[in-house]
């Protein structure tokens, strides 16, 4: 098992009042799975994403990644997990505007202290993978929305992470660019990448092989395995 969340609770405080956000979350993800976590605004899906991505920690419960208890880690250890094991793709790209596509993709490698020559080779490989070998020196302002998101995906993949974690990855894109980005996620999944997609949209969730719904901080019982439905149709 690649990832397990066991009895995860997350509470925040507003003044002296404790506000529950996640309530007894239990979920397991196998290596190579493509899973969508789907829910409306305010459902707790972003908080759940932050815990999976080691950006936030649960109030209680246990998070295991590669059989390691992640929520016992200190800040430096969590930073290493984020850098080496999890690739992030955000709705608004989170690219640095003054850097080229190449330099944006190289950032995780710099943090990992990869030598400069090796960094360049790794960046060229992933930018070619996402079809941007002719845009490596372009800055974000010179790229379309879809191209920016492909740069962000290349940055997320450059360290060969165990998990690709995508938060509403087509939310800032037009329908054509969104389809191209989702086609790229399909390709990555076919190559064995583990993908966890956070979304509120049916058409995005339906690309995944498994859909889990979160409502008011609780996962709905009976996770939907769409791959079975496809098999039946065939």
């Amino acid at each position: 098992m690649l990832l397990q969340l066991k009895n995860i609770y997350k509470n925040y405080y507003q003044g002296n009042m404790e506000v529950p956000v996640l309530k007894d979350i239990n979920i397991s993800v196998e290596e190579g799975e493509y899973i969508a976590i789907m829910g409306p605004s305010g459902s707790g899906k972003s908080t759940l994403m932050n815990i999976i991505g080691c950006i936030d920690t649960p109030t209680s419960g246990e998070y295991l990644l590669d059989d390691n208890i992640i929520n016992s880690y200190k800040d430096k250890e969590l930073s290493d997990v984020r850098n080496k094991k999890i690739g992030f793709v955000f709705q608004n790209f989170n690219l640095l505007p003054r850097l080229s596509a190449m330099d944006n993709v190289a950032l995780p490698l710099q943090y990992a202290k990869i030598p400069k020559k090796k960094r360049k080779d790794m960046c060229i490989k992933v930018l070619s993978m996402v079809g941007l070998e002719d845009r490596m020196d372009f800055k974000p302002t010179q790229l379309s929305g879809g191209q920016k998101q492909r740069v962000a995906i290349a940055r997320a993949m450059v360290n060969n992470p165990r998990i690709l974690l995508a938060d509403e990855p087509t939310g800032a894109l037009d329908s054509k660019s969104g389809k191209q980005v989702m086609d790229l996620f399909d390709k990555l999944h076919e190559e064995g990448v583990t993908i966890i997609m956070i979304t509120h949209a049916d058409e995005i969730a339906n690309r995944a092989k498994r859909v889990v719904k979160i409502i008011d901080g609780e996962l709905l019982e009976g996770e939907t395995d769409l791959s079975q439905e496809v098999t039946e149709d065939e």
Side-chain angles (χ1 to χ4, degrees):
M1 192 65 62
L2 176 59
L3 178 157
Q4 285 183 289
L5 298 180
K6 299 181 178 181
N7 308 116
I8 294 290
Y9 288 80
K10 181 64 181 182
N11 303 327
Y12 292 108
Y13 283 90
Q14 293 180 348
N16 294 324
M17 186 172 67
E18 190 175 31
V19 180
V21 179
L22 297 179
K23 307 162 190 173
D24 198 21
I25 298 290
N26 290 275
I27 189 171
S28 300
V29 179
E30 299 271 8
E31 187 162 6
E33 271 202 271
Y34 186 174
I35 178 172
I37 298 175
M38 188 179 180
S41 179
S43 62
K45 64 183 187 296
S46 293
T47 300
L48 180 56
M49 185 203 75
N50 288 339
I51 288 174
I52 292 171
C54 299
I55 296 170
D56 200 355
T57 55
T59 302
S60 64
E62 193 172 69
Y63 175 15
L64 288 94
L65 181 61
D66 282 332
D67 295 322
N68 296 307
I69 301 174
I70 296 298
N71 47 304
S72 67
Y73 280 18
K74 302 289 189 290
D75 287 347
K76 175 64 169 65
E77 293 171 303
L78 289 172
S79 179
D80 285 344
V81 170
R82 288 193 299 269
N83 182 250
K84 296 173 182 175
K85 292 194 174 186
I86 302 172
F88 295 90
V89 180
F90 299 99
Q91 177 175 337
N92 294 316
F93 322 128
N94 286 12
L95 301 178
L96 296 181
R98 295 186 180 182
L99 298 184
S100 67
M102 171 84 79
D103 290 339
N104 267 287
V105 171
L107 286 173
L109 303 177
Q110 287 182 256
Y111 297 141
K113 297 183 168 61
I114 303 296
K116 189 172 183 179
K117 174 64 171 67
K118 189 175 181 182
R119 286 203 305 261
K120 183 176 180 180
D121 292 342
M122 292 170 75
C123 290
I124 290 171
K125 180 180 178 180
V126 291
L127 282 166
S128 298
M129 177 189 73
V130 300
L132 291 176
E133 57 271 23
D134 58 344
R135 296 287 190 275
M136 295 185 189
D137 296 325
F138 285 41
K139 293 182 178 178
T141 53
Q142 299 170 296
L143 300 172
S144 68
Q147 289 170 336
K148 290 176 189 176
Q149 194 60 293
R150 281 189 277 157
V151 172
I153 293 169
R155 179 185 58 192
M157 291 301 302
V158 73
N159 257 346
N160 293 312
R162 301 300 308 279
I163 297 168
L164 182 58
L165 190 56
D167 183 17
E168 304 281 7
T170 64
L173 303 178
D174 60 53
S175 58
K176 180 181 177 182
S177 298
K179 182 182 181 303
Q180 291 172 343
V181 165
M182 293 310 300
D183 288 346
L184 179 54
F185 280 111
D186 289 346
K187 178 185 174 187
L188 291 170
H189 173 247
E190 289 168 6
E191 293 172 357
V193 176
T194 304
I195 300 172
I196 301 177
M197 183 90 59
I198 310 295
T199 184
H200 70 279
D202 285 324
E203 65 271 20
I204 302 303
N206 287 341
R207 290 290 195 115
K209 303 304 179 186
R210 179 178 163 214
V211 179
V212 178
K213 293 187 178 180
I214 183 169
I215 303 289
D216 295 331
E218 297 181 83
L219 290 184
L220 293 185
E221 291 185 17
E223 298 167 359
T224 304
D225 188 343
L226 296 182
S227 63
Q228 293 179 354
E229 296 177 13
V230 171
T231 302
E232 290 170 4
D233 290 341
E234 292 174 348

